[in-house]
């Protein structure tokens, strides 16, 4: 006797609800899973950084609009090389790599700093962000340390959480945003004290009159000592070492509280 044919379950198997959750793009990219995506952006970069033994970084900010030959570009390139040669990024042992150059991953000052590190034979990090006009990663960050973020907040967290020092070259709104983000974290104690160096004193003093904030009582006099100026790559590195004190190599020197 012939058995009855099984009912057709094609519609069930083709239903979006039947997809494995991890393989369902409509689910993963939906509003209800925003927190999951945020967590994944943290964990993916964290896994790669740990695999490379990155303990601390020197973060370099600045304009994406300058190009090779511009004095600021060449200064950032030289600084990336100096910091990589002297700061511990070339060392690959049990103690991990210290003071690895980290940038926003794009062109301009970011490219220059990554380039200087690469020319020194060191690894360097590029924390890229998706933008309406797509940012392409520069060709100098270490490939397996070149990341792409959707969330600015998570990108900023990764820029800050291993930062042992910050060097800020002239730039626009994005540069100011990143500068004041770090300064606020340090000011409020959410981040340990780190040397913050503003490169090209003429540019920054002409742009920012922070004494006005202090005079109005909006910041403390001590807050004006959260940063220093430098006008050469050598001076920028010296300012970092002087600001960090003797024995500048502790793990997680400026780590963000988590």
């Amino acid at each position: 006797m012939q058995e009855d044919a099984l009912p057709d379950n094609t519609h069930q198997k083709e239903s979006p609800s039947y997809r494995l959750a991890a393989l369902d793009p409509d689910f993963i990219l939906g509003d209800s899973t925003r927190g999951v995506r945020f967590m994944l952006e943290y964990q993916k970069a964290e896994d790669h950084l740990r695999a490379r033994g990155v303990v601390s970084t020197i973060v370099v900010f600045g304009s994406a609009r300058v190009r090779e030959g511009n004095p600021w570009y060449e200064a950032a390139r030289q600084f990336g090389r100096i910091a990589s040669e002297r700061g511990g990024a070339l060392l690959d042992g049990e103690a991990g790599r210290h003071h690895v150059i980290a940038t926003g991953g794009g062109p301009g000052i970011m490219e220059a700093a990554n380039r200087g590190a690469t020319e020194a034979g060191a690894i360097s990090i590029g924390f890229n962000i998706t933008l309406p006009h797509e940012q392409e990663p520069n060709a100098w960050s270490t490939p397996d340390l070149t990341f792409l973020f959707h969330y600015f907040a998570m990108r900023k967290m990764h820029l800050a959480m291993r930062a042992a020092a910050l060097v800020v070259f002239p730039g626009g709104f994005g540069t100011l945003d990143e500068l004041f983000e770090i300064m606020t974290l340090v000011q409020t104690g959410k981040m340990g004290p780190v040397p913050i160096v503003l490169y090209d004193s003429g540019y920054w003093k002409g742009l920012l009159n922070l004494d006005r904030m202090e005079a109005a009582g909006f910041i403390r006099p001590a807050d004006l000592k959260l940063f220093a100026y430098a006008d050469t790559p050598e001076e920028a590195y010296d300012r970092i070492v002087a600001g960090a004190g003797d024995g500048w190599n502790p793990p997680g020197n400026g780590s963000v509280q988590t």
Side-chain angles (χ1 to χ4, degrees), residues 84-153:
S84 296
E85 290 174 343
R86 303 178 192 175
L90 291 170
L91 302 177
D92 184 18
E94 291 185 3
R97 297 178 189 267
H98 290 264
H99 312 137
V100 175
I101 291 292
T103 78
I109 295 298
M110 298 173 281
E111 173 189 301
N114 286 130
R115 182 174 182 176
T118 299
E119 290 171 340
I123 63 173
S124 70
I125 304 163
F127 292 114
N128 292 267
I129 187 76
T130 55
L131 297 170
H133 303 288
E134 288 297 321
Q135 173 181 303
E136 288 286 325
N138 69 65
W140 298 96
S141 58
T142 301
D144 62 301
L145 295 176
T146 300
F147 305 104
L148 182 61
F149 292 87
H150 175 75
Y151 296 107
F152 265 107

Side-chain angles (χ1 to χ4, degrees), residues 33-241:
T33 50
R34 184 173 288 110
V36 174
R37 296 195 300 276
F38 199 71
M39 180 185 69
L40 289 172
E41 287 206 341
Y42 165 77
Q43 195 62 53
K44 182 177 180 180
E46 182 69 13
D47 286 353
H48 280 264
L49 292 165
R50 290 188 182 190
R52 279 291 203 157
V54 178
V55 176
S56 64
T57 60
I58 297 177
V59 177
V60 181
F61 293 151
S63 174
R65 300 186 181 189
V66 301
R67 294 293 180 265
E68 183 176 359
N70 179 286
W72 291 325
Y73 181 104
E74 298 306 328
R77 179 178 175 182
Q78 186 178 353
F79 175 80
R81 178 181 58 77
I82 291 171
S84 296
E85 290 174 343
R86 303 178 192 175
L90 291 170
L91 302 177
D92 184 18
E94 291 185 3
R97 297 178 189 267
H98 290 264
H99 312 137
V100 175
I101 291 292
T103 78
I109 295 298
M110 298 173 281
E111 173 189 301
N114 286 130
R115 182 174 182 176
T118 299
E119 290 171 340
I123 63 173
S124 70
I125 304 163
F127 292 114
N128 292 267
I129 187 76
T130 55
L131 297 170
H133 303 288
E134 288 297 321
Q135 173 181 303
E136 288 286 325
N138 69 65
W140 298 96
S141 58
T142 301
D144 62 301
L145 295 176
T146 300
F147 305 104
L148 182 61
F149 292 87
H150 175 75
Y151 296 107
F152 265 107
M154 185 50 66
R155 179 194 191 221
K156 287 180 177 181
M157 182 172 176
H158 270 296
L159 280 164
M161 65 184 296
R162 284 179 169 83
L166 172 68
V167 180
V168 189
F169 283 78
F173 288 162
T175 301
L176 290 174
D177 174 54
E178 292 159 337
L179 167 62
F180 282 106
E181 176 88 12
I182 298 294
M183 287 180 64
T184 301
L185 288 170
V186 174
Q187 180 199 45
T188 58
K190 285 292 186 179
M191 182 175 180
V194 297
I196 299 173
V197 180
L198 305 185
Y199 191 90
D200 190 336
S201 59
Y203 176 86
W204 289 109
K205 289 179 180 179
L207 180 67
L208 301 176
N209 181 10
L210 298 184
D211 291 332
R212 182 72 178 271
M213 283 187 182
E214 190 270 326
F218 299 144
I219 60 173
R220 299 166 299 176
D223 291 335
L224 295 174
K225 298 180 181 180
L226 291 175
F227 59 91
Y229 297 104
D231 290 304
T232 68
E234 285 280 357
E235 185 182 13
Y237 189 77
D238 290 343
R239 290 284 193 184
I240 290 174
V241 175

